[in-house]
mmCIF file of all heavy atoms in Angstrom:
data_model
loop_
_atom_site.group_PDB
_atom_site.id
_atom_site.type_symbol
_atom_site.label_atom_id
_atom_site.label_comp_id
_atom_site.label_asym_id
_atom_site.label_seq_id
_atom_site.Cartn_x
_atom_site.Cartn_y
_atom_site.Cartn_z
ATOM 1 N N SER C 198 7.696 -7.514 15.073
ATOM 2 C CA SER C 198 6.289 -7.122 15.186
ATOM 3 C C SER C 198 5.998 -6.276 13.958
ATOM 4 O O SER C 198 6.908 -5.713 13.347
ATOM 5 C CB SER C 198 6.022 -6.337 16.468
ATOM 6 O OG SER C 198 6.772 -5.134 16.481
ATOM 7 N N ALA C 199 4.719 -6.169 13.620
ATOM 8 C CA ALA C 199 4.415 -5.535 12.327
ATOM 9 C C ALA C 199 3.105 -4.762 12.395
ATOM 10 O O ALA C 199 2.221 -4.923 11.564
ATOM 11 C CB ALA C 199 4.354 -6.601 11.227
ATOM 12 N N ASP C 200 2.975 -3.902 13.381
ATOM 13 C CA ASP C 200 1.790 -3.066 13.470
ATOM 14 C C ASP C 200 1.863 -1.944 12.436
ATOM 15 O O ASP C 200 2.912 -1.319 12.247
ATOM 16 C CB ASP C 200 1.671 -2.458 14.871
ATOM 17 C CG ASP C 200 1.411 -3.518 15.931
ATOM 18 O OD1 ASP C 200 0.850 -4.572 15.567
ATOM 19 O OD2 ASP C 200 1.778 -3.300 17.098
ATOM 20 N N ASN C 201 0.757 -1.723 11.774
ATOM 21 C CA ASN C 201 0.617 -0.593 10.842
ATOM 22 C C ASN C 201 1.633 -0.605 9.703
ATOM 23 O O ASN C 201 2.134 0.442 9.285
ATOM 24 C CB ASN C 201 0.719 0.743 11.602
ATOM 25 C CG ASN C 201 -0.315 0.850 12.699
ATOM 26 O OD1 ASN C 201 -1.487 0.555 12.473
ATOM 27 N ND2 ASN C 201 0.121 1.246 13.890
ATOM 28 N N VAL C 202 1.941 -1.780 9.199
ATOM 29 C CA VAL C 202 2.845 -1.862 8.046
ATOM 30 C C VAL C 202 2.110 -1.417 6.788
ATOM 31 O O VAL C 202 0.986 -1.841 6.526
ATOM 32 C CB VAL C 202 3.356 -3.303 7.862
ATOM 33 C CG1 VAL C 202 4.039 -3.477 6.507
ATOM 34 C CG2 VAL C 202 4.322 -3.661 8.971
ATOM 35 N N ASP C 203 2.735 -0.542 6.026
ATOM 36 C CA ASP C 203 2.236 -0.166 4.697
ATOM 37 C C ASP C 203 2.984 -1.053 3.699
ATOM 38 O O ASP C 203 4.167 -0.843 3.450
ATOM 39 C CB ASP C 203 2.517 1.306 4.424
ATOM 40 C CG ASP C 203 2.061 1.749 3.029
ATOM 41 O OD1 ASP C 203 1.901 0.887 2.137
ATOM 42 O OD2 ASP C 203 1.888 2.962 2.830
ATOM 43 N N PRO C 204 2.335 -2.063 3.124
ATOM 44 C CA PRO C 204 3.066 -3.033 2.297
ATOM 45 C C PRO C 204 3.789 -2.414 1.115
ATOM 46 O O PRO C 204 4.900 -2.847 0.781
ATOM 47 C CB PRO C 204 1.963 -3.994 1.824
ATOM 48 C CG PRO C 204 0.888 -3.872 2.838
ATOM 49 C CD PRO C 204 0.912 -2.438 3.274
ATOM 50 N N ILE C 205 3.177 -1.430 0.467
ATOM 51 C CA ILE C 205 3.816 -0.839 -0.711
ATOM 52 C C ILE C 205 5.035 -0.024 -0.305
ATOM 53 O O ILE C 205 6.095 -0.108 -0.942
ATOM 54 C CB ILE C 205 2.812 0.022 -1.497
ATOM 55 C CG1 ILE C 205 1.585 -0.816 -1.886
ATOM 56 C CG2 ILE C 205 3.475 0.609 -2.740
ATOM 57 C CD1 ILE C 205 1.898 -2.073 -2.656
ATOM 58 N N ALA C 206 4.913 0.752 0.781
ATOM 59 C CA ALA C 206 6.067 1.518 1.261
ATOM 60 C C ALA C 206 7.164 0.580 1.746
ATOM 61 O O ALA C 206 8.362 0.824 1.513
ATOM 62 C CB ALA C 206 5.632 2.454 2.385
ATOM 63 N N PHE C 207 6.783 -0.506 2.415
ATOM 64 C CA PHE C 207 7.774 -1.467 2.897
ATOM 65 C C PHE C 207 8.509 -2.092 1.720
ATOM 66 O O PHE C 207 9.749 -2.223 1.740
ATOM 67 C CB PHE C 207 7.086 -2.544 3.728
ATOM 68 C CG PHE C 207 8.042 -3.498 4.396
ATOM 69 C CD1 PHE C 207 8.498 -3.262 5.678
ATOM 70 C CD2 PHE C 207 8.497 -4.633 3.732
ATOM 71 C CE1 PHE C 207 9.382 -4.139 6.294
ATOM 72 C CE2 PHE C 207 9.384 -5.507 4.331
ATOM 73 C CZ PHE C 207 9.826 -5.261 5.615
ATOM 74 N N GLU C 208 7.763 -2.489 0.701
ATOM 75 C CA GLU C 208 8.381 -3.060 -0.502
ATOM 76 C C GLU C 208 9.355 -2.056 -1.129
ATOM 77 O O GLU C 208 10.497 -2.411 -1.475
ATOM 78 C CB GLU C 208 7.296 -3.441 -1.499
ATOM 79 C CG GLU C 208 7.810 -3.921 -2.856
ATOM 80 C CD GLU C 208 6.684 -4.039 -3.876
ATOM 81 O OE1 GLU C 208 5.843 -4.939 -3.726
ATOM 82 O OE2 GLU C 208 6.659 -3.228 -4.828
ATOM 83 N N ARG C 209 8.906 -0.816 -1.263
ATOM 84 C CA ARG C 209 9.755 0.220 -1.875
ATOM 85 C C ARG C 209 11.046 0.415 -1.080
ATOM 86 O O ARG C 209 12.146 0.483 -1.649
ATOM 87 C CB ARG C 209 8.974 1.533 -1.953
ATOM 88 C CG ARG C 209 9.748 2.672 -2.619
ATOM 89 C CD ARG C 209 8.910 3.942 -2.707
ATOM 90 N NE ARG C 209 8.526 4.413 -1.374
ATOM 91 C CZ ARG C 209 7.266 4.437 -0.924
ATOM 92 N NH1 ARG C 209 6.271 4.004 -1.688
ATOM 93 N NH2 ARG C 209 7.005 4.898 0.290
ATOM 94 N N ASP C 210 10.932 0.489 0.257
ATOM 95 C CA ASP C 210 12.116 0.713 1.085
ATOM 96 C C ASP C 210 13.053 -0.491 1.056
ATOM 97 O O ASP C 210 14.288 -0.341 1.031
ATOM 98 C CB ASP C 210 11.693 1.012 2.523
ATOM 99 C CG ASP C 210 10.944 2.327 2.659
ATOM 100 O OD1 ASP C 210 11.011 3.148 1.713
ATOM 101 O OD2 ASP C 210 10.292 2.532 3.699
ATOM 102 N N ALA C 211 12.484 -1.689 1.064
ATOM 103 C CA ALA C 211 13.317 -2.898 1.023
ATOM 104 C C ALA C 211 14.096 -2.962 -0.283
ATOM 105 O O ALA C 211 15.287 -3.322 -0.302
ATOM 106 C CB ALA C 211 12.448 -4.139 1.194
ATOM 107 N N LEU C 212 13.448 -2.618 -1.390
ATOM 108 C CA LEU C 212 14.128 -2.638 -2.686
ATOM 109 C C LEU C 212 15.196 -1.559 -2.762
ATOM 110 O O LEU C 212 16.261 -1.758 -3.370
ATOM 111 C CB LEU C 212 13.105 -2.472 -3.805
ATOM 112 C CG LEU C 212 12.113 -3.633 -3.972
ATOM 113 C CD1 LEU C 212 11.067 -3.298 -5.032
ATOM 114 C CD2 LEU C 212 12.835 -4.919 -4.341
ATOM 115 N N ALA C 213 14.926 -0.413 -2.152
ATOM 116 C CA ALA C 213 15.928 0.668 -2.156
ATOM 117 C C ALA C 213 17.179 0.239 -1.397
ATOM 118 O O ALA C 213 18.306 0.555 -1.805
ATOM 119 C CB ALA C 213 15.326 1.931 -1.543
ATOM 120 N N ARG C 214 16.996 -0.479 -0.294
ATOM 121 C CA ARG C 214 18.154 -0.911 0.501
ATOM 122 C C ARG C 214 19.075 -1.834 -0.278
ATOM 123 O O ARG C 214 20.294 -1.808 -0.088
ATOM 124 C CB ARG C 214 17.679 -1.618 1.776
ATOM 125 C CG ARG C 214 17.215 -0.698 2.873
ATOM 126 C CD ARG C 214 17.124 -1.420 4.207
ATOM 127 N NE ARG C 214 16.210 -2.556 4.177
ATOM 128 C CZ ARG C 214 14.904 -2.467 4.385
ATOM 129 N NH1 ARG C 214 14.345 -1.291 4.619
ATOM 130 N NH2 ARG C 214 14.144 -3.550 4.359
ATOM 131 N N ILE C 215 18.521 -2.657 -1.139
ATOM 132 C CA ILE C 215 19.369 -3.599 -1.877
ATOM 133 C C ILE C 215 19.808 -3.044 -3.233
ATOM 134 O O ILE C 215 20.555 -3.698 -3.957
ATOM 135 C CB ILE C 215 18.655 -4.951 -2.072
ATOM 136 C CG1 ILE C 215 17.352 -4.794 -2.870
ATOM 137 C CG2 ILE C 215 18.410 -5.619 -0.733
ATOM 138 C CD1 ILE C 215 16.651 -6.109 -3.186
ATOM 139 N N GLY C 216 19.338 -1.843 -3.576
ATOM 140 C CA GLY C 216 19.741 -1.231 -4.843
ATOM 141 C C GLY C 216 19.033 -1.827 -6.051
ATOM 142 O O GLY C 216 19.650 -2.044 -7.099
ATOM 143 N N MET C 217 17.730 -2.044 -5.936
ATOM 144 C CA MET C 217 16.955 -2.570 -7.061
ATOM 145 C C MET C 217 17.019 -1.585 -8.226
ATOM 146 O O MET C 217 16.744 -0.401 -8.071
ATOM 147 C CB MET C 217 15.498 -2.767 -6.629
ATOM 148 C CG MET C 217 14.612 -3.346 -7.709
ATOM 149 S SD MET C 217 14.993 -5.094 -7.983
ATOM 150 C CE MET C 217 13.606 -5.570 -9.036
ATOM 151 N N PRO C 218 17.378 -2.055 -9.416
ATOM 152 C CA PRO C 218 17.451 -1.155 -10.576
ATOM 153 C C PRO C 218 16.087 -0.534 -10.883
ATOM 154 O O PRO C 218 15.049 -1.188 -10.783
ATOM 155 C CB PRO C 218 17.898 -2.081 -11.712
ATOM 156 C CG PRO C 218 18.552 -3.239 -11.028
ATOM 157 C CD PRO C 218 17.815 -3.422 -9.740
ATOM 158 N N ASP C 219 16.100 0.745 -11.265
ATOM 159 C CA ASP C 219 14.855 1.459 -11.570
ATOM 160 C C ASP C 219 14.132 0.859 -12.765
ATOM 161 O O ASP C 219 12.920 1.029 -12.907
ATOM 162 C CB ASP C 219 15.139 2.936 -11.853
ATOM 163 C CG ASP C 219 15.649 3.669 -10.619
ATOM 164 O OD1 ASP C 219 15.371 3.205 -9.491
ATOM 165 O OD2 ASP C 219 16.332 4.700 -10.782
ATOM 166 N N GLU C 220 14.872 0.186 -13.635
ATOM 167 C CA GLU C 220 14.292 -0.328 -14.874
ATOM 168 C C GLU C 220 13.555 -1.652 -14.689
ATOM 169 O O GLU C 220 13.038 -2.223 -15.645
ATOM 170 C CB GLU C 220 15.407 -0.539 -15.912
ATOM 171 C CG GLU C 220 16.192 0.719 -16.253
ATOM 172 C CD GLU C 220 17.327 1.008 -15.275
ATOM 173 O OE1 GLU C 220 17.512 0.201 -14.314
ATOM 174 O OE2 GLU C 220 18.018 2.022 -15.447
ATOM 175 N N MET C 221 13.497 -2.147 -13.451
ATOM 176 C CA MET C 221 12.930 -3.468 -13.190
ATOM 177 C C MET C 221 11.916 -3.402 -12.064
ATOM 178 O O MET C 221 11.941 -2.487 -11.245
ATOM 179 C CB MET C 221 14.034 -4.457 -12.788
ATOM 180 C CG MET C 221 15.050 -4.750 -13.850
ATOM 181 S SD MET C 221 16.248 -5.968 -13.240
ATOM 182 C CE MET C 221 15.162 -7.347 -12.838
ATOM 183 N N VAL C 222 11.058 -4.407 -12.009
ATOM 184 C CA VAL C 222 10.215 -4.630 -10.834
ATOM 185 C C VAL C 222 10.401 -6.082 -10.411
ATOM 186 O O VAL C 222 10.952 -6.904 -11.147
ATOM 187 C CB VAL C 222 8.721 -4.352 -11.115
ATOM 188 C CG1 VAL C 222 8.507 -2.922 -11.572
ATOM 189 C CG2 VAL C 222 8.157 -5.333 -12.134
ATOM 190 N N MET C 223 9.927 -6.378 -9.206
ATOM 191 C CA MET C 223 9.964 -7.749 -8.721
ATOM 192 C C MET C 223 9.159 -8.657 -9.655
ATOM 193 O O MET C 223 8.191 -8.224 -10.272
ATOM 194 C CB MET C 223 9.349 -7.827 -7.318
ATOM 195 C CG MET C 223 10.061 -7.021 -6.271
ATOM 196 S SD MET C 223 8.990 -6.718 -4.820
ATOM 197 C CE MET C 223 8.640 -8.386 -4.265
ATOM 198 N N ARG C 224 9.547 -9.912 -9.722
ATOM 199 C CA ARG C 224 8.795 -10.874 -10.530
ATOM 200 C C ARG C 224 7.362 -11.007 -10.002
ATOM 201 O O ARG C 224 6.419 -11.179 -10.785
ATOM 202 C CB ARG C 224 9.499 -12.235 -10.503
ATOM 203 C CG ARG C 224 8.822 -13.308 -11.359
ATOM 204 C CD ARG C 224 9.700 -14.537 -11.458
ATOM 205 N NE ARG C 224 9.074 -15.613 -12.212
ATOM 206 C CZ ARG C 224 9.072 -15.716 -13.543
ATOM 207 N NH1 ARG C 224 9.664 -14.774 -14.267
ATOM 208 N NH2 ARG C 224 8.493 -16.729 -14.141
ATOM 209 N N HIS C 225 7.205 -10.944 -8.696
ATOM 210 C CA HIS C 225 5.878 -10.986 -8.073
ATOM 211 C C HIS C 225 5.806 -9.835 -7.072
ATOM 212 O O HIS C 225 6.355 -9.952 -5.971
ATOM 213 C CB HIS C 225 5.647 -12.308 -7.334
ATOM 214 C CG HIS C 225 5.873 -13.530 -8.157
ATOM 215 N ND1 HIS C 225 5.029 -13.924 -9.167
ATOM 216 C CD2 HIS C 225 6.860 -14.453 -8.106
ATOM 217 C CE1 HIS C 225 5.486 -15.036 -9.706
ATOM 218 N NE2 HIS C 225 6.594 -15.376 -9.087
ATOM 219 N N ARG C 226 5.136 -8.758 -7.443
ATOM 220 C CA ARG C 226 5.019 -7.663 -6.492
ATOM 221 C C ARG C 226 4.104 -8.070 -5.331
ATOM 222 O O ARG C 226 3.270 -8.962 -5.434
ATOM 223 C CB ARG C 226 4.500 -6.405 -7.184
ATOM 224 C CG ARG C 226 5.557 -5.770 -8.113
ATOM 225 C CD ARG C 226 5.233 -4.320 -8.442
ATOM 226 N NE ARG C 226 5.033 -3.530 -7.251
ATOM 227 C CZ ARG C 226 3.865 -2.987 -6.901
ATOM 228 N NH1 ARG C 226 2.790 -3.138 -7.663
ATOM 229 N NH2 ARG C 226 3.768 -2.280 -5.795
ATOM 230 N N THR C 227 4.261 -7.397 -4.212
ATOM 231 C CA THR C 227 3.628 -7.807 -2.958
ATOM 232 C C THR C 227 2.118 -8.043 -3.059
ATOM 233 O O THR C 227 1.626 -9.069 -2.573
ATOM 234 C CB THR C 227 3.943 -6.767 -1.865
ATOM 235 O OG1 THR C 227 5.365 -6.714 -1.674
ATOM 236 C CG2 THR C 227 3.272 -7.118 -0.558
ATOM 237 N N PRO C 228 1.317 -7.158 -3.696
ATOM 238 C CA PRO C 228 -0.138 -7.362 -3.658
ATOM 239 C C PRO C 228 -0.632 -8.589 -4.424
ATOM 240 O O PRO C 228 -1.794 -8.967 -4.274
ATOM 241 C CB PRO C 228 -0.688 -6.069 -4.288
ATOM 242 C CG PRO C 228 0.389 -5.062 -4.105
ATOM 243 C CD PRO C 228 1.662 -5.841 -4.263
ATOM 244 N N HIS C 229 0.224 -9.197 -5.267
ATOM 245 C CA HIS C 229 -0.185 -10.438 -5.929
ATOM 246 C C HIS C 229 0.836 -11.560 -5.721
ATOM 247 O O HIS C 229 0.836 -12.537 -6.458
ATOM 248 C CB HIS C 229 -0.427 -10.214 -7.434
ATOM 249 C CG HIS C 229 0.721 -9.612 -8.170
ATOM 250 N ND1 HIS C 229 0.796 -8.270 -8.463
ATOM 251 C CD2 HIS C 229 1.840 -10.153 -8.686
ATOM 252 C CE1 HIS C 229 1.909 -8.019 -9.120
ATOM 253 N NE2 HIS C 229 2.559 -9.148 -9.262
ATOM 254 N N PHE C 230 1.642 -11.451 -4.678
ATOM 255 C CA PHE C 230 2.694 -12.437 -4.390
ATOM 256 C C PHE C 230 2.040 -13.651 -3.716
ATOM 257 O O PHE C 230 2.139 -13.868 -2.510
ATOM 258 C CB PHE C 230 3.747 -11.804 -3.488
ATOM 259 C CG PHE C 230 5.094 -12.490 -3.492
ATOM 260 C CD1 PHE C 230 6.191 -11.864 -2.909
ATOM 261 C CD2 PHE C 230 5.289 -13.739 -4.075
ATOM 262 C CE1 PHE C 230 7.435 -12.467 -2.897
ATOM 263 C CE2 PHE C 230 6.531 -14.356 -4.068
ATOM 264 C CZ PHE C 230 7.607 -13.712 -3.467
ATOM 265 N N ALA C 231 1.362 -14.456 -4.546
ATOM 266 C CA ALA C 231 0.554 -15.558 -4.031
ATOM 267 C C ALA C 231 1.395 -16.623 -3.340
ATOM 268 O O ALA C 231 0.914 -17.299 -2.419
ATOM 269 C CB ALA C 231 -0.263 -16.178 -5.161
ATOM 270 N N HIS C 232 2.636 -16.802 -3.764
ATOM 271 C CA HIS C 232 3.494 -17.803 -3.119
ATOM 272 C C HIS C 232 3.541 -17.595 -1.610
ATOM 273 O O HIS C 232 3.610 -18.568 -0.853
ATOM 274 C CB HIS C 232 4.925 -17.712 -3.656
ATOM 275 C CG HIS C 232 5.130 -18.320 -4.996
ATOM 276 N ND1 HIS C 232 4.766 -17.681 -6.157
ATOM 277 C CD2 HIS C 232 5.670 -19.506 -5.374
ATOM 278 C CE1 HIS C 232 5.079 -18.446 -7.186
ATOM 279 N NE2 HIS C 232 5.619 -19.563 -6.743
ATOM 280 N N ILE C 233 3.530 -16.351 -1.159
ATOM 281 C CA ILE C 233 3.747 -16.094 0.267
ATOM 282 C C ILE C 233 2.521 -15.541 0.986
ATOM 283 O O ILE C 233 2.486 -15.559 2.218
ATOM 284 C CB ILE C 233 4.964 -15.165 0.503
ATOM 285 C CG1 ILE C 233 4.722 -13.753 -0.028
ATOM 286 C CG2 ILE C 233 6.211 -15.758 -0.120
ATOM 287 C CD1 ILE C 233 5.818 -12.773 0.368
ATOM 288 N N PHE C 234 1.504 -15.078 0.248
ATOM 289 C CA PHE C 234 0.335 -14.509 0.920
ATOM 290 C C PHE C 234 -0.968 -15.252 0.645
ATOM 291 O O PHE C 234 -1.957 -15.030 1.338
ATOM 292 C CB PHE C 234 0.184 -13.031 0.574
ATOM 293 C CG PHE C 234 1.285 -12.176 1.138
ATOM 294 C CD1 PHE C 234 2.149 -11.476 0.310
ATOM 295 C CD2 PHE C 234 1.473 -12.097 2.511
ATOM 296 C CE1 PHE C 234 3.175 -10.705 0.833
ATOM 297 C CE2 PHE C 234 2.503 -11.335 3.050
ATOM 298 C CZ PHE C 234 3.358 -10.631 2.206
ATOM 299 N N ALA C 235 -1.025 -16.134 -0.346
ATOM 300 C CA ALA C 235 -2.214 -16.973 -0.553
ATOM 301 C C ALA C 235 -1.981 -18.286 0.190
ATOM 302 O O ALA C 235 -1.966 -19.369 -0.384
ATOM 303 C CB ALA C 235 -2.459 -17.206 -2.035
#
């Protein structure tokens, strides 16, 4: 279930769990990730 999800905080926490390097960002950040949200 996904009530009151903050997408940016969720993205940040998910990346922290996998150890995303600080010097990089996702190829498609959540607010423009058209593959999965358009």
Side-chain angles (χ1 to χ4, degrees):
S198 62
D200 294 334
N201 303 313
V202 167
D203 178 339
I205 304 305
F207 186 92
E208 174 190 290
R209 182 178 61 246
D210 294 344
L212 293 175
R214 282 196 301 274
I215 60 176
M217 182 72 169
D219 294 336
E220 301 84 1
M221 295 182 59
V222 301
M223 298 161 60
R224 182 171 177 83
H225 306 289
R226 288 199 54 246
T227 299
H229 55 261
F230 200 168
H232 283 79
I233 67 172
F234 293 117

